[in-house]
Amino acid sequence: GAVVSQHPSRVICKSGTSVKIECRSLDFQATTMFWYRQFPKQSLMLMATSNEGSKATYEQGVEKDKFLINHASLTLSTLTVTSAHPEDSSFYICSAKPLNRSPSYEQYFGPGTRLTVT
Amino acid sequence: DAKTTQPNSMESNEEEPVHLPCNHSTISGTDYIHWYRQLPSQGPEYVIHGLTSNVNNRMASLAIAEDRKSSTLILHRATLRDAAVYYCILRVLSNAGNNRKLIWGLGTSLAVNP
């Protein structure tokens, strides 16, 4: 159990377009989902914390108007990169924290989405 | 800000124990120490976590120094499938105080020789 999926796994888009990435918890409900970004050979950087039914909390330096997060249900959160530019090319990873499940501390990570902006 | 420091890389032989060190001298009393590992182009996988006492699970052991300023992840018998980047992470209270978030270090790339 505790599987998190992301779609798409890879996407290439042109500069100026928008891209939506989905994160789904397949066999559990998640009130909280996290979005991370990882550049090559670097660590994961938390972008935002998403709680179901409320606005996401963004980390310092992350533009909320550029990275739109929607967490409309207990199993789905989406990240939309608006007006993407080449510097947004990165590996985007989501994680989900289970609701009413032990252990509650554990985050389950998705396989990641590789975004390339040309 | 809380942060962790790890060696960039380590090497081990198959079937031998591996000790992965981590320094976290700025840790606060409520921060948990977590370890995750990541294979190339995959999402991270939880390994183990602790607060003050040493911890054991089926994957590994976690030894935490008495002053909590360092910890060591112990893989008792390394296998080829253990080759990954191992991240030592602090789980801290978010700025809003209503959630906890993971603060990631740069990780140690572990190579396992057959």
Side-chain angles (χ1 to χ4, degrees):
Chain A
V3 178
V4 176
S5 71
Q6 282 184 240
H7 178 79
S9 58
R10 290 178 178 271
V11 58
I12 301 173
C13 71
K14 293 188 176 180
S15 187
T17 62
S18 295
V19 175
K20 180 186 282 189
I21 302 170
E22 291 185 351
C23 176
R24 293 182 185 272
S25 55
L26 297 184
D27 53 358
F28 65 96
Q29 293 182 323
T31 52
T32 304
M33 289 185 171
F34 302 87
W35 285 96
Y36 296 84
R37 182 168 51 182
Q38 185 177 32
F39 292 108
K41 299 200 181 296
Q42 293 190 26
S43 188
L44 278 72
M45 295 288 293
L46 179 65
M47 299 175 67
T49 302
S50 166
N51 289 300
E52 185 265 337
S54 63
K55 290 184 180 179
T57 302
Y58 290 81
E59 294 299 302
Q60 194 171 6
V62 178
E63 298 175 59
K64 60 182 179 182
D65 294 331
K66 180 171 181 60
F67 298 100
L68 301 179
I69 292 172
N70 183 278
H71 192 161
S73 79
L74 288 172
T75 59
L76 173 64
S77 176
T78 61
L79 168 69
T80 302
V81 183
T82 63
S83 187
H85 291 285
E87 56 265 31
D88 298 323
S89 298
S90 187
F91 193 49
Y92 291 86
I93 306 173
C94 73
S95 70
K97 190 176 169 187
L99 169 68
N100 295 332
R101 181 170 176 160
S102 179
S104 61
Y105 54 79
E106 194 165 339
Q107 292 183 26
Y108 298 97
F109 284 80
T113 296
R114 176 79 57 195
L115 170 63
T116 304
V117 184
T118 60
Chain B
D1 279 350
K3 68 174 188 179
T4 61
T5 306
Q6 301 173 252
N8 286 339
S9 62
M10 290 185 67
E11 205 169 316
S12 171
N13 295 321
E14 205 175 3
E15 301 293 313
E16 290 184 357
V18 183
H19 289 233
L20 298 165
C22 180
N23 287 322
H24 28 78
S25 58
T26 59
I27 193 170
S28 74
T30 59
D31 295 343
Y32 286 79
I33 302 158
H34 282 238
W35 284 79
Y36 279 74
R37 69 181 185 182
Q38 185 180 27
L39 294 169
S41 297
Q42 292 189 26
E45 174 189 28
Y46 169 82
V47 178
I48 201 167
H49 87 290
L51 183 61
T52 56
S53 303
N54 295 343
V55 185
N56 298 299
N57 67 20
R58 61 179 177 80
M59 288 182 71
S61 295
L62 176 60
I64 301 173
E66 200 167 325
D67 63 5
R68 299 208 329 124
K69 293 185 177 182
S70 66
S71 62
T72 303
L73 178 71
I74 302 165
L75 306 179
H76 296 287
R77 289 178 65 196
T79 69
L80 297 178
R81 288 182 295 179
D82 291 325
V85 177
Y86 286 79
Y87 291 99
C88 172
I89 298 156
L90 296 183
R91 187 163 70 100
V92 306
L93 279 172
S94 66
N95 292 337
N98 59 352
N99 222 329
R100 286 191 176 266
K101 61 181 183 180
L102 300 178
I103 305 297
W104 297 69
L106 292 177
T108 295
S109 179
L110 175 66
V112 180
N113 301 316

